[in-house]
Amino acid sequence: MKKIKNIDSVSALLMLFIFLLSFLFYYLYMIEQNVENYNKNHNKLIDMQLLNKGFDDFSLSSSELSNYNLVNDEIENFTRLFIELKNNIDLNYPEDKVLAQKIAVIQTQFEKKAEDIEYFKSLNSALISGSHFLFDLQRSISESKEISGDTKSLVNEALFYLFQFTKSDYIDKSYVSNKLSKVQQQLDKKKIVLVANFYNQSTVLLDTLTSYRNISSDIRANELGSLLDELENNLDEKYEYYLVEQQVIVSFFFIFTIVILVSLIFFYIRSLKTKKELLAFNYAVQHSDNAIVMTDPDKNIIFVNEVFEKTTGYSSEEVMGENPRILKSNQQDEQTYVDMKERLASGKSWEGELINKRKDGTLLYERASIIPIFSNEKLINYLAIKLDITEYIEQNMRLQQAASVFENTEEVIIIADKNAEVVTVNKAFTDIYGYTIDEIKGTNLSVLHSGAQDKNFYLHMWDKILHYDFYRGKIINKTKSGEEIPVWVTIKAIRDKSGQIINYTAVQTDLRAIENSEAKAEYLAYHDPLTGLYNRVSFEEYLTQTLTVVKRQEKKLAILFIDLDRFKIINDTLGHDIGDEVLISVTKRLKHILRESDYISRWGGDEFVVILQDVMSDTLVATVARKIIDSIKEPIHIGYHNFNITASIGISLYPNNADDAKTLIKYADSAMYLAKENGKNSFRFYTTELSLETEERLNIDIALHSALEKNEIYVVFQPQYNLATKQIVSVEALVRWENETLGFVPPDKFIPIAEDNGFIVELGYFIFEESCKALKKMKTAGLELQRIAINVSSIQFKEPNLIEALLSIVNRHELDPSEIEIEITERFLMENTTKNIRTLQSFRDYGFKISIDDFGTGYSSMSYLKQLPIDTIKIDKSFVDDIGENSSDNAIIEAIIALSKTLNYSIVAEGIETGAQEQFLADINCDIGQGYLFSRPILLEEVIARFE
């Protein structure tokens, strides 16, 4: 009986086990069905959300002929998906009233959105057809000869703002309506059918646009998207609720299910943590101050952040798929790359410094950490984190250089604080005074006073320092041993941004050797103090003596006159201290190139003169000159700056060119100027032709100064005419010079000389006076001219009272400033741009017109034109000369005219010499022509006779 009971208990337990197992399988099946239903509903919701996004995007297709069949198909797809989703929800959640109500609201909003889309399509179609009709009307109006230009402009402007209203939210309907009302005002004056149709159609289109915008906003404001999101959240919540409930029930019956559940929760928490870590990592990468580079296992770049782009100059698109070696500068020790590859190949990270280069070729110093990334023990990526340390490295280099100069200079250098107490000194200080840095640090500079100068001397010295931040002079100091020494001292006060003194620097030169040595005095008399080269006095004496020797020995000799190109820019912009360092560097290079037997001198400024003795041939001299030019043009590094300067060299030969010192120097100087005129960075030998050219230039220079007094300079006028009507509208004043000795001198010869010698200012006032006088006579004779164009040199613009002087001339001849067009060059705009633009604006404020002459030959950017206070652009003759079939200049001229029209500038084409050129310019709406085809430059009397 007991055994039976035992059996019954086992059976019961077995039945219970089977029941529980069956119950478990049932729940597993329910879980599977729940997951399947959830996935179906979720996928449908995602598709519906995408379709709803497509509806919103469709509502933004302004004035575009969209594919209505596509949106119709999307509406049908949405309807189908909605019905399927509704049926699934009714089947799975039959008693859930919240979901049922949500489905009903979604259906209502979708039907509303579908109706709005139909209305939107009809409005969009009407808008497109109306736009085409308006464009046809505008074209007919533009071609109509009966409609005035003002009406056409109003129509064009109204059409422009009407379509701006279509595309932009910055223009409201009232503004466009105001533009249309101006068209209506023209209709009130004169009834024109085309204009009336344009006005009526524009009004209708404007109303259509308003409705179009409203319905577009309604479509996008529809709550369908948010309702779908809410429904998705509700379904997610129910899914999660049932899933957890079923999992709890199943886990209750089987202990291992609990373990699995715990494991799942554990892994889920860990995945959330991993996700957060990944998000944090991604945020850190994107916002890191370091450059981040990620590559695949083959070391091809697959990701870079913005810092990398800013640091290297490469965009992410340019480096994707490339190997990081594109940054290689070839200045890195190859062992660094060997070590890097070995560590990375062994799966270890690598850290170190790299010398790379940016896209523009400049060096980029980086501190880099490269980490191999593994997943399941498999290499999947390399991650490089790089810090730009270029500024640090360069600053460190500069500090090392400064420290080296500080310690190794023979001059005493003392740095003191604001209380004149010593902060640091260099080695030269210890060598001269005997104090070590530890002995002198913190001590007042007065410890060096010898007593040779009284109290008033030091009061005067400090008064200068405090008022002018500078003192230079001789002081008698004493050493640690008590010896008195004379020093030449330069003291400077260093101030912070607020103007407070924070330090004093003192540079001292020991004068004992100088004062006790006559040789030193003689040295300074015959040498350049900056470079240590011989000076001009020494050079001329040496050349005279050397010529005596070479004449006796019947040998050859060469003079090289070297002038640095654009050196004045360095002095003017960075100061003479930097300029002096450049001259010292050039001196070192000259000494390196030339032989010890060659004689080098500096004549002051940036001029060096060299004597090459015992030269065998002209070829040898040319070789030396080329070596000098190549050496000088190598970059010069001074502090933070890198300079690329060049040199122009003139060469004269003995006995080929002359046999005396003065003439040889003059000829070498002349040859140097020819080298500069021919593009600089070159050398030229003196020739007879150069002598003639120099003589001609000199003759022109001399004759110019008396040309006005002798009435040799006069003004001619070249008519400018309307290309459409062929009627004269203005003239350009052109200067001419006829000299009794030189004959006719072209302007391109004497104008540059006049600018060089300053005569251009007096000449400019003369031309302006004569031009105004001539315009007055033309107007009196009945010529209907809009204005006269007068060229004004950029040199004359530097006159302090130029505007007042020109206004005085204009008023004296009873003219209006608006009748005067001042022509300037592109070069003038590029020189001190801000100041020059301000000057031009002042002229325009007084009424003068401004024209850019020879446009296209300089450096002006066409996009820059809109910032300039100008009225007219003159297309240079070089473009007009090349007008022809398939000529690239045709497109350039068209672009210039199109932009100028947009900016409301008048366009003048100069140099028209053929009918084909004139016709082309007229066809592309160029305003004014000028050239020999219409008229050569002629005298005032002929202008009046031909055109009155």
Side-chain angles (χ1 to χ4, degrees), residues 24 27-28 30-31 34-35 239-254 257-258 260-262 264-265:
L24 173 63
Y27 267 98
L28 290 174
M30 292 296 295
I31 291 173
N34 188 37
V35 170
Y239 167 75
E240 291 175 0
Y241 174 80
Y242 285 120
L243 182 63
V244 172
E245 181 184 59
Q246 291 164 351
Q247 287 176 337
V248 171
I249 293 174
V250 171
S251 64
F252 178 77
F253 294 103
F254 290 96
T257 305
I258 297 175
I260 294 174
L261 179 60
V262 171
L264 287 174
I265 294 174

PDB file of all heavy atoms in Angstrom, residues 24 27-28 30-31 34-35 239-254 257-258 260-262 264-265:
ATOM      1  N   LEU A  24       4.429  25.149 -20.323  1.00  0.00           N
ATOM      2  CA  LEU A  24       5.605  25.909 -20.769  1.00  0.00           C
ATOM      3  C   LEU A  24       5.627  26.048 -22.283  1.00  0.00           C
ATOM      4  O   LEU A  24       5.863  27.135 -22.828  1.00  0.00           O
ATOM      5  CB  LEU A  24       6.878  25.218 -20.282  1.00  0.00           C
ATOM      6  CG  LEU A  24       8.191  25.815 -20.811  1.00  0.00           C
ATOM      7  CD1 LEU A  24       8.365  27.244 -20.326  1.00  0.00           C
ATOM      8  CD2 LEU A  24       9.367  24.953 -20.402  1.00  0.00           C
ATOM      9  N   TYR A  27       3.179  28.558 -23.460  1.00  0.00           N
ATOM     10  CA  TYR A  27       3.658  29.930 -23.293  1.00  0.00           C
ATOM     11  C   TYR A  27       4.758  30.278 -24.302  1.00  0.00           C
ATOM     12  O   TYR A  27       4.852  31.396 -24.788  1.00  0.00           O
ATOM     13  CB  TYR A  27       4.156  30.171 -21.872  1.00  0.00           C
ATOM     14  CG  TYR A  27       3.060  30.740 -20.990  1.00  0.00           C
ATOM     15  CD1 TYR A  27       2.339  29.916 -20.152  1.00  0.00           C
ATOM     16  CD2 TYR A  27       2.766  32.096 -21.013  1.00  0.00           C
ATOM     17  CE1 TYR A  27       1.327  30.413 -19.355  1.00  0.00           C
ATOM     18  CE2 TYR A  27       1.767  32.602 -20.215  1.00  0.00           C
ATOM     19  CZ  TYR A  27       1.033  31.770 -19.389  1.00  0.00           C
ATOM     20  OH  TYR A  27       0.037  32.278 -18.617  1.00  0.00           O
ATOM     21  N   LEU A  28       5.593  29.275 -24.600  1.00  0.00           N
ATOM     22  CA  LEU A  28       6.602  29.517 -25.616  1.00  0.00           C
ATOM     23  C   LEU A  28       5.954  29.821 -26.968  1.00  0.00           C
ATOM     24  O   LEU A  28       6.398  30.686 -27.729  1.00  0.00           O
ATOM     25  CB  LEU A  28       7.534  28.299 -25.736  1.00  0.00           C
ATOM     26  CG  LEU A  28       8.476  28.060 -24.563  1.00  0.00           C
ATOM     27  CD1 LEU A  28       9.227  26.753 -24.733  1.00  0.00           C
ATOM     28  CD2 LEU A  28       9.466  29.221 -24.438  1.00  0.00           C
ATOM     29  N   MET A  30       2.929  31.073 -27.304  1.00  0.00           N
ATOM     30  CA  MET A  30       2.327  32.404 -27.188  1.00  0.00           C
ATOM     31  C   MET A  30       3.382  33.512 -27.375  1.00  0.00           C
ATOM     32  O   MET A  30       3.127  34.540 -28.017  1.00  0.00           O
ATOM     33  CB  MET A  30       1.653  32.545 -25.813  1.00  0.00           C
ATOM     34  CG  MET A  30       0.427  31.672 -25.640  1.00  0.00           C
ATOM     35  SD  MET A  30      -0.918  32.107 -26.770  1.00  0.00           S
ATOM     36  CE  MET A  30      -1.314  33.743 -26.204  1.00  0.00           C
ATOM     37  N   ILE A  31       4.565  33.269 -26.825  1.00  0.00           N
ATOM     38  CA  ILE A  31       5.655  34.249 -26.979  1.00  0.00           C
ATOM     39  C   ILE A  31       6.023  34.399 -28.453  1.00  0.00           C
ATOM     40  O   ILE A  31       6.216  35.498 -28.973  1.00  0.00           O
ATOM     41  CB  ILE A  31       6.874  33.817 -26.158  1.00  0.00           C
ATOM     42  CG1 ILE A  31       6.572  33.940 -24.656  1.00  0.00           C
ATOM     43  CG2 ILE A  31       8.105  34.659 -26.517  1.00  0.00           C
ATOM     44  CD1 ILE A  31       7.666  33.382 -23.769  1.00  0.00           C
ATOM     45  N   ASN A  34       3.326  36.252 -30.223  1.00  0.00           N
ATOM     46  CA  ASN A  34       3.375  37.670 -29.847  1.00  0.00           C
ATOM     47  C   ASN A  34       4.507  38.396 -30.578  1.00  0.00           C
ATOM     48  O   ASN A  34       4.340  39.513 -31.083  1.00  0.00           O
ATOM     49  CB  ASN A  34       3.568  37.770 -28.331  1.00  0.00           C
ATOM     50  CG  ASN A  34       3.433  39.211 -27.850  1.00  0.00           C
ATOM     51  OD1 ASN A  34       2.609  39.959 -28.368  1.00  0.00           O
ATOM     52  ND2 ASN A  34       4.233  39.585 -26.876  1.00  0.00           N
ATOM     53  N   VAL A  35       5.682  37.737 -30.656  1.00  0.00           N
ATOM     54  CA  VAL A  35       6.828  38.338 -31.367  1.00  0.00           C
ATOM     55  C   VAL A  35       6.497  38.518 -32.843  1.00  0.00           C
ATOM     56  O   VAL A  35       6.800  39.554 -33.449  1.00  0.00           O
ATOM     57  CB  VAL A  35       8.085  37.460 -31.183  1.00  0.00           C
ATOM     58  CG1 VAL A  35       9.208  37.926 -32.105  1.00  0.00           C
ATOM     59  CG2 VAL A  35       8.541  37.493 -29.737  1.00  0.00           C
ATOM     60  N   TYR A 239       3.843  45.027 -26.150  1.00  0.00           N
ATOM     61  CA  TYR A 239       4.725  43.893 -26.481  1.00  0.00           C
ATOM     62  C   TYR A 239       5.679  43.597 -25.333  1.00  0.00           C
ATOM     63  O   TYR A 239       5.849  42.437 -24.926  1.00  0.00           O
ATOM     64  CB  TYR A 239       5.509  44.246 -27.751  1.00  0.00           C
ATOM     65  CG  TYR A 239       6.665  43.314 -28.023  1.00  0.00           C
ATOM     66  CD1 TYR A 239       6.461  42.037 -28.508  1.00  0.00           C
ATOM     67  CD2 TYR A 239       7.965  43.713 -27.750  1.00  0.00           C
ATOM     68  CE1 TYR A 239       7.524  41.178 -28.730  1.00  0.00           C
ATOM     69  CE2 TYR A 239       9.031  42.867 -27.973  1.00  0.00           C
ATOM     70  CZ  TYR A 239       8.809  41.587 -28.463  1.00  0.00           C
ATOM     71  OH  TYR A 239       9.848  40.745 -28.685  1.00  0.00           O
ATOM     72  N   GLU A 240       6.276  44.635 -24.784  1.00  0.00           N
ATOM     73  CA  GLU A 240       7.218  44.428 -23.688  1.00  0.00           C
ATOM     74  C   GLU A 240       6.503  43.873 -22.450  1.00  0.00           C
ATOM     75  O   GLU A 240       7.047  43.033 -21.729  1.00  0.00           O
ATOM     76  CB  GLU A 240       7.925  45.747 -23.357  1.00  0.00           C
ATOM     77  CG  GLU A 240       8.872  46.213 -24.446  1.00  0.00           C
ATOM     78  CD  GLU A 240       9.467  47.579 -24.161  1.00  0.00           C
ATOM     79  OE1 GLU A 240       9.125  48.138 -23.100  1.00  0.00           O
ATOM     80  OE2 GLU A 240      10.240  48.049 -25.002  1.00  0.00           O
ATOM     81  N   TYR A 241       5.283  44.365 -22.232  1.00  0.00           N
ATOM     82  CA  TYR A 241       4.530  43.892 -21.054  1.00  0.00           C
ATOM     83  C   TYR A 241       4.233  42.391 -21.148  1.00  0.00           C
ATOM     84  O   TYR A 241       4.505  41.608 -20.230  1.00  0.00           O
ATOM     85  CB  TYR A 241       3.235  44.680 -20.933  1.00  0.00           C
ATOM     86  CG  TYR A 241       2.318  44.178 -19.824  1.00  0.00           C
ATOM     87  CD1 TYR A 241       2.546  44.522 -18.505  1.00  0.00           C
ATOM     88  CD2 TYR A 241       1.251  43.329 -20.127  1.00  0.00           C
ATOM     89  CE1 TYR A 241       1.728  44.048 -17.488  1.00  0.00           C
ATOM     90  CE2 TYR A 241       0.419  42.860 -19.127  1.00  0.00           C
ATOM     91  CZ  TYR A 241       0.661  43.211 -17.806  1.00  0.00           C
ATOM     92  OH  TYR A 241      -0.135  42.745 -16.819  1.00  0.00           O
ATOM     93  N   TYR A 242       3.666  41.965 -22.292  1.00  0.00           N
ATOM     94  CA  TYR A 242       3.336  40.546 -22.459  1.00  0.00           C
ATOM     95  C   TYR A 242       4.577  39.679 -22.471  1.00  0.00           C
ATOM     96  O   TYR A 242       4.585  38.553 -21.960  1.00  0.00           O
ATOM     97  CB  TYR A 242       2.538  40.342 -23.752  1.00  0.00           C
ATOM     98  CG  TYR A 242       1.099  40.810 -23.652  1.00  0.00           C
ATOM     99  CD1 TYR A 242       0.622  41.797 -24.503  1.00  0.00           C
ATOM    100  CD2 TYR A 242       0.237  40.275 -22.703  1.00  0.00           C
ATOM    101  CE1 TYR A 242      -0.693  42.244 -24.407  1.00  0.00           C
ATOM    102  CE2 TYR A 242      -1.070  40.710 -22.605  1.00  0.00           C
ATOM    103  CZ  TYR A 242      -1.532  41.712 -23.461  1.00  0.00           C
ATOM    104  OH  TYR A 242      -2.812  42.141 -23.351  1.00  0.00           O
ATOM    105  N   LEU A 243       5.639  40.193 -23.073  1.00  0.00           N
ATOM    106  CA  LEU A 243       6.877  39.426 -23.152  1.00  0.00           C
ATOM    107  C   LEU A 243       7.432  39.155 -21.754  1.00  0.00           C
ATOM    108  O   LEU A 243       7.807  38.032 -21.427  1.00  0.00           O
ATOM    109  CB  LEU A 243       7.910  40.178 -24.000  1.00  0.00           C
ATOM    110  CG  LEU A 243       9.244  39.477 -24.201  1.00  0.00           C
ATOM    111  CD1 LEU A 243       9.053  38.172 -24.957  1.00  0.00           C
ATOM    112  CD2 LEU A 243      10.201  40.381 -24.947  1.00  0.00           C
ATOM    113  N   VAL A 244       7.475  40.202 -20.943  1.00  0.00           N
ATOM    114  CA  VAL A 244       7.981  40.033 -19.568  1.00  0.00           C
ATOM    115  C   VAL A 244       7.082  39.082 -18.770  1.00  0.00           C
ATOM    116  O   VAL A 244       7.566  38.206 -18.030  1.00  0.00           O
ATOM    117  CB  VAL A 244       8.076  41.401 -18.874  1.00  0.00           C
ATOM    118  CG1 VAL A 244       8.404  41.232 -17.394  1.00  0.00           C
ATOM    119  CG2 VAL A 244       9.135  42.259 -19.550  1.00  0.00           C
ATOM    120  N   GLU A 245       5.756  39.245 -18.931  1.00  0.00           N
ATOM    121  CA  GLU A 245       4.810  38.394 -18.189  1.00  0.00           C
ATOM    122  C   GLU A 245       5.011  36.920 -18.527  1.00  0.00           C
ATOM    123  O   GLU A 245       5.060  36.049 -17.643  1.00  0.00           O
ATOM    124  CB  GLU A 245       3.382  38.830 -18.530  1.00  0.00           C
ATOM    125  CG  GLU A 245       2.305  38.026 -17.803  1.00  0.00           C
ATOM    126  CD  GLU A 245       0.923  38.435 -18.244  1.00  0.00           C
ATOM    127  OE1 GLU A 245       0.652  38.315 -19.461  1.00  0.00           O
ATOM    128  OE2 GLU A 245       0.138  38.897 -17.410  1.00  0.00           O
ATOM    129  N   GLN A 246       5.122  36.637 -19.821  1.00  0.00           N
ATOM    130  CA  GLN A 246       5.297  35.253 -20.235  1.00  0.00           C
ATOM    131  C   GLN A 246       6.649  34.708 -19.804  1.00  0.00           C
ATOM    132  O   GLN A 246       6.770  33.539 -19.428  1.00  0.00           O
ATOM    133  CB  GLN A 246       5.125  35.166 -21.756  1.00  0.00           C
ATOM    134  CG  GLN A 246       3.685  35.431 -22.185  1.00  0.00           C
ATOM    135  CD  GLN A 246       3.549  35.746 -23.669  1.00  0.00           C
ATOM    136  OE1 GLN A 246       4.543  35.926 -24.333  1.00  0.00           O
ATOM    137  NE2 GLN A 246       2.299  35.800 -24.139  1.00  0.00           N
ATOM    138  N   GLN A 247       7.684  35.566 -19.880  1.00  0.00           N
ATOM    139  CA  GLN A 247       9.010  35.114 -19.450  1.00  0.00           C
ATOM    140  C   GLN A 247       9.033  34.803 -17.958  1.00  0.00           C
ATOM    141  O   GLN A 247       9.671  33.836 -17.516  1.00  0.00           O
ATOM    142  CB  GLN A 247      10.068  36.177 -19.785  1.00  0.00           C
ATOM    143  CG  GLN A 247      10.389  36.279 -21.249  1.00  0.00           C
ATOM    144  CD  GLN A 247      11.365  37.398 -21.547  1.00  0.00           C
ATOM    145  OE1 GLN A 247      11.477  38.321 -20.770  1.00  0.00           O
ATOM    146  NE2 GLN A 247      12.033  37.288 -22.688  1.00  0.00           N
ATOM    147  N   VAL A 248       8.345  35.626 -17.175  1.00  0.00           N
ATOM    148  CA  VAL A 248       8.283  35.373 -15.715  1.00  0.00           C
ATOM    149  C   VAL A 248       7.575  34.054 -15.406  1.00  0.00           C
ATOM    150  O   VAL A 248       8.020  33.263 -14.550  1.00  0.00           O
ATOM    151  CB  VAL A 248       7.580  36.548 -15.016  1.00  0.00           C
ATOM    152  CG1 VAL A 248       7.296  36.212 -13.549  1.00  0.00           C
ATOM    153  CG2 VAL A 248       8.437  37.789 -15.107  1.00  0.00           C
ATOM    154  N   ILE A 249       6.476  33.802 -16.122  1.00  0.00           N
ATOM    155  CA  ILE A 249       5.726  32.554 -15.876  1.00  0.00           C
ATOM    156  C   ILE A 249       6.572  31.349 -16.232  1.00  0.00           C
ATOM    157  O   ILE A 249       6.643  30.355 -15.480  1.00  0.00           O
ATOM    158  CB  ILE A 249       4.421  32.569 -16.697  1.00  0.00           C
ATOM    159  CG1 ILE A 249       3.493  33.653 -16.150  1.00  0.00           C
ATOM    160  CG2 ILE A 249       3.737  31.205 -16.664  1.00  0.00           C
ATOM    161  CD1 ILE A 249       2.239  33.857 -16.971  1.00  0.00           C
ATOM    162  N   VAL A 250       7.235  31.434 -17.393  1.00  0.00           N
ATOM    163  CA  VAL A 250       8.061  30.299 -17.819  1.00  0.00           C
ATOM    164  C   VAL A 250       9.219  30.099 -16.843  1.00  0.00           C
ATOM    165  O   VAL A 250       9.546  28.971 -16.445  1.00  0.00           O
ATOM    166  CB  VAL A 250       8.577  30.536 -19.252  1.00  0.00           C
ATOM    167  CG1 VAL A 250       9.620  29.485 -19.617  1.00  0.00           C
ATOM    168  CG2 VAL A 250       7.419  30.495 -20.225  1.00  0.00           C
ATOM    169  N   SER A 251       9.865  31.223 -16.457  1.00  0.00           N
ATOM    170  CA  SER A 251      11.013  31.108 -15.547  1.00  0.00           C
ATOM    171  C   SER A 251      10.606  30.572 -14.175  1.00  0.00           C
ATOM    172  O   SER A 251      11.423  29.989 -13.461  1.00  0.00           O
ATOM    173  CB  SER A 251      11.685  32.473 -15.398  1.00  0.00           C
ATOM    174  OG  SER A 251      10.803  33.394 -14.794  1.00  0.00           O
ATOM    175  N   PHE A 252       9.343  30.786 -13.784  1.00  0.00           N
ATOM    176  CA  PHE A 252       8.840  30.294 -12.495  1.00  0.00           C
ATOM    177  C   PHE A 252       8.831  28.766 -12.441  1.00  0.00           C
ATOM    178  O   PHE A 252       9.033  28.182 -11.395  1.00  0.00           O
ATOM    179  CB  PHE A 252       7.444  30.845 -12.251  1.00  0.00           C
ATOM    180  CG  PHE A 252       6.797  30.382 -10.986  1.00  0.00           C
ATOM    181  CD1 PHE A 252       7.160  30.913  -9.752  1.00  0.00           C
ATOM    182  CD2 PHE A 252       5.828  29.394 -11.014  1.00  0.00           C
ATOM    183  CE1 PHE A 252       6.568  30.472  -8.605  1.00  0.00           C
ATOM    184  CE2 PHE A 252       5.238  28.943  -9.856  1.00  0.00           C
ATOM    185  CZ  PHE A 252       5.597  29.484  -8.638  1.00  0.00           C
ATOM    186  N   PHE A 253       8.571  28.136 -13.585  1.00  0.00           N
ATOM    187  CA  PHE A 253       8.487  26.687 -13.621  1.00  0.00           C
ATOM    188  C   PHE A 253       9.838  26.016 -13.808  1.00  0.00           C
ATOM    189  O   PHE A 253      10.011  24.886 -13.402  1.00  0.00           O
ATOM    190  CB  PHE A 253       7.526  26.239 -14.736  1.00  0.00           C
ATOM    191  CG  PHE A 253       6.101  26.634 -14.482  1.00  0.00           C
ATOM    192  CD1 PHE A 253       5.544  27.712 -15.159  1.00  0.00           C
ATOM    193  CD2 PHE A 253       5.325  25.946 -13.555  1.00  0.00           C
ATOM    194  CE1 PHE A 253       4.228  28.066 -14.910  1.00  0.00           C
ATOM    195  CE2 PHE A 253       4.014  26.317 -13.311  1.00  0.00           C
ATOM    196  CZ  PHE A 253       3.456  27.389 -13.992  1.00  0.00           C
ATOM    197  N   PHE A 254      10.746  26.663 -14.419  1.00  0.00           N
ATOM    198  CA  PHE A 254      12.048  26.040 -14.646  1.00  0.00           C
ATOM    199  C   PHE A 254      13.167  26.957 -14.153  1.00  0.00           C
ATOM    200  O   PHE A 254      13.274  28.104 -14.581  1.00  0.00           O
ATOM    201  CB  PHE A 254      12.279  25.732 -16.136  1.00  0.00           C
ATOM    202  CG  PHE A 254      11.407  24.630 -16.645  1.00  0.00           C
ATOM    203  CD1 PHE A 254      10.210  24.918 -17.289  1.00  0.00           C
ATOM    204  CD2 PHE A 254      11.785  23.314 -16.471  1.00  0.00           C
ATOM    205  CE1 PHE A 254       9.413  23.900 -17.758  1.00  0.00           C
ATOM    206  CE2 PHE A 254      10.987  22.297 -16.944  1.00  0.00           C
ATOM    207  CZ  PHE A 254       9.787  22.560 -17.579  1.00  0.00           C
ATOM    208  N   THR A 257      15.446  28.587 -16.573  1.00  0.00           N
ATOM    209  CA  THR A 257      14.904  29.748 -17.295  1.00  0.00           C
ATOM    210  C   THR A 257      15.247  31.026 -16.541  1.00  0.00           C
ATOM    211  O   THR A 257      15.540  32.071 -17.131  1.00  0.00           O
ATOM    212  CB  THR A 257      13.388  29.614 -17.463  1.00  0.00           C
ATOM    213  OG1 THR A 257      13.085  28.379 -18.096  1.00  0.00           O
ATOM    214  CG2 THR A 257      12.846  30.773 -18.291  1.00  0.00           C
ATOM    215  N   ILE A 258      15.192  30.891 -15.174  1.00  0.00           N
ATOM    216  CA  ILE A 258      15.558  32.034 -14.358  1.00  0.00           C
ATOM    217  C   ILE A 258      17.004  32.421 -14.613  1.00  0.00           C
ATOM    218  O   ILE A 258      17.362  33.608 -14.724  1.00  0.00           O
ATOM    219  CB  ILE A 258      15.318  31.729 -12.857  1.00  0.00           C
ATOM    220  CG1 ILE A 258      13.829  31.477 -12.595  1.00  0.00           C
ATOM    221  CG2 ILE A 258      15.821  32.876 -11.985  1.00  0.00           C
ATOM    222  CD1 ILE A 258      13.503  31.056 -11.184  1.00  0.00           C
ATOM    223  N   ILE A 260      18.686  31.792 -17.320  1.00  0.00           N
ATOM    224  CA  ILE A 260      18.764  32.410 -18.654  1.00  0.00           C
ATOM    225  C   ILE A 260      18.274  33.856 -18.601  1.00  0.00           C
ATOM    226  O   ILE A 260      18.865  34.766 -19.195  1.00  0.00           O
ATOM    227  CB  ILE A 260      17.942  31.598 -19.678  1.00  0.00           C
ATOM    228  CG1 ILE A 260      18.573  30.216 -19.875  1.00  0.00           C
ATOM    229  CG2 ILE A 260      17.846  32.344 -21.012  1.00  0.00           C
ATOM    230  CD1 ILE A 260      17.756  29.285 -20.759  1.00  0.00           C
ATOM    231  N   LEU A 261      17.147  34.040 -17.851  1.00  0.00           N
ATOM    232  CA  LEU A 261      16.601  35.395 -17.767  1.00  0.00           C
ATOM    233  C   LEU A 261      17.601  36.348 -17.109  1.00  0.00           C
ATOM    234  O   LEU A 261      17.814  37.480 -17.562  1.00  0.00           O
ATOM    235  CB  LEU A 261      15.289  35.375 -16.976  1.00  0.00           C
ATOM    236  CG  LEU A 261      14.608  36.737 -16.776  1.00  0.00           C
ATOM    237  CD1 LEU A 261      14.262  37.359 -18.118  1.00  0.00           C
ATOM    238  CD2 LEU A 261      13.358  36.587 -15.901  1.00  0.00           C
ATOM    239  N   VAL A 262      18.197  35.849 -16.015  1.00  0.00           N
ATOM    240  CA  VAL A 262      19.205  36.674 -15.335  1.00  0.00           C
ATOM    241  C   VAL A 262      20.360  36.989 -16.284  1.00  0.00           C
ATOM    242  O   VAL A 262      20.878  38.115 -16.327  1.00  0.00           O
ATOM    243  CB  VAL A 262      19.709  35.961 -14.067  1.00  0.00           C
ATOM    244  CG1 VAL A 262      20.909  36.701 -13.479  1.00  0.00           C
ATOM    245  CG2 VAL A 262      18.595  35.862 -13.036  1.00  0.00           C
ATOM    246  N   LEU A 264      20.148  37.013 -19.521  1.00  0.00           N
ATOM    247  CA  LEU A 264      19.684  37.974 -20.529  1.00  0.00           C
ATOM    248  C   LEU A 264      19.680  39.397 -19.974  1.00  0.00           C
ATOM    249  O   LEU A 264      20.109  40.364 -20.643  1.00  0.00           O
ATOM    250  CB  LEU A 264      18.276  37.618 -21.014  1.00  0.00           C
ATOM    251  CG  LEU A 264      18.164  36.401 -21.926  1.00  0.00           C
ATOM    252  CD1 LEU A 264      16.708  36.067 -22.203  1.00  0.00           C
ATOM    253  CD2 LEU A 264      18.893  36.681 -23.229  1.00  0.00           C
ATOM    254  N   ILE A 265      19.201  39.547 -18.695  1.00  0.00           N
ATOM    255  CA  ILE A 265      19.192  40.879 -18.085  1.00  0.00           C
ATOM    256  C   ILE A 265      20.614  41.403 -17.942  1.00  0.00           C
ATOM    257  O   ILE A 265      20.901  42.582 -18.207  1.00  0.00           O
ATOM    258  CB  ILE A 265      18.483  40.825 -16.708  1.00  0.00           C
ATOM    259  CG1 ILE A 265      16.998  40.494 -16.899  1.00  0.00           C
ATOM    260  CG2 ILE A 265      18.661  42.148 -15.977  1.00  0.00           C
ATOM    261  CD1 ILE A 265      16.241  40.265 -15.602  1.00  0.00           C
TER     262      ILE A 265
END
